[in-house]
Amino acid sequence: QVQLVESGGGLVQAGGSLRLSCAASGRTFSSYDMVWFRQAPGKEREFVAGIRRNGLSTYYTDSVKGRFIISRDNAKNTVYLQMNSLKPEDTAVYYCATREGPVLTNWGRASSYDYWGQGTQVAVSS
């Protein structure tokens, strides 16, 4: 069992930055690939970014490439999402998630993940 707790959300103006954190407990954090998803009102949950267990490979949805950076600190059992040049369309609840076993091919399928945090709200004003 893995417990995930997100933090760092808030209200920011367009063009600003936020750093989200996701603290994990319960099992060996370094054994898990980690992802961030987001869900805006009335929309499906959307993959944002993923990172391999060793931190050497990262993946992003096209809309955040060049603006967001996913990273992790396995010594602190934490994964981060640095969000820069924020846009109003980035407004959503952001979730971190993971699964038992490696992510094989499709990082973007929400049903593939076994453990989810409670989410943190990000609101970007224009």
Side-chain angles (χ1 to χ4, degrees):
Q1 190 77 9
V2 178
Q3 292 81 42
L4 302 172
V5 179
E6 302 96 336
S7 61
L11 174 64
V12 65
Q13 288 189 331
S17 297
L18 283 174
R19 189 176 82 154
L20 305 183
S21 300
C22 172
S25 62
R27 297 288 293 272
T28 306
F29 178 72
S30 60
S31 299
Y32 291 89
D33 296 337
M34 299 295 299
V35 295
W36 287 97
F37 274 72
R38 65 186 179 187
Q39 189 166 20
K43 295 189 176 181
E44 293 187 356
R45 198 163 291 192
E46 172 192 30
F47 170 77
V48 176
I51 187 167
R52 287 292 186 196
R53 59 193 64 188
N54 59 12
L56 295 182
S57 297
T58 56
Y59 307 86
Y60 299 93
T61 192
D62 286 346
S63 62
V64 308
K65 285 180 181 176
R67 300 190 298 122
F68 290 10
I69 301 172
I70 188 171
S71 62
R72 65 190 297 160
D73 185 338
N74 285 345
K76 295 183 178 180
N77 288 4
T78 302
V79 61
Y80 304 98
L81 186 67
Q82 177 67 44
M83 305 187 295
N84 303 318
S85 302
L86 282 160
K87 304 175 180 181
E89 51 264 43
D90 295 317
T91 295
V93 178
Y94 283 71
Y95 299 89
C96 64
T98 190
R99 54 167 283 122
E100 296 292 345
V103 178
L104 297 178
T105 54
N106 188 355
W107 287 79
R109 187 168 62 193
S111 61
S112 298
Y113 298 97
D114 303 307
Y115 307 110
W116 292 82
Q118 84 288 349
T120 186
Q121 176 71 54
V122 171
V124 184
S125 63
S126 57

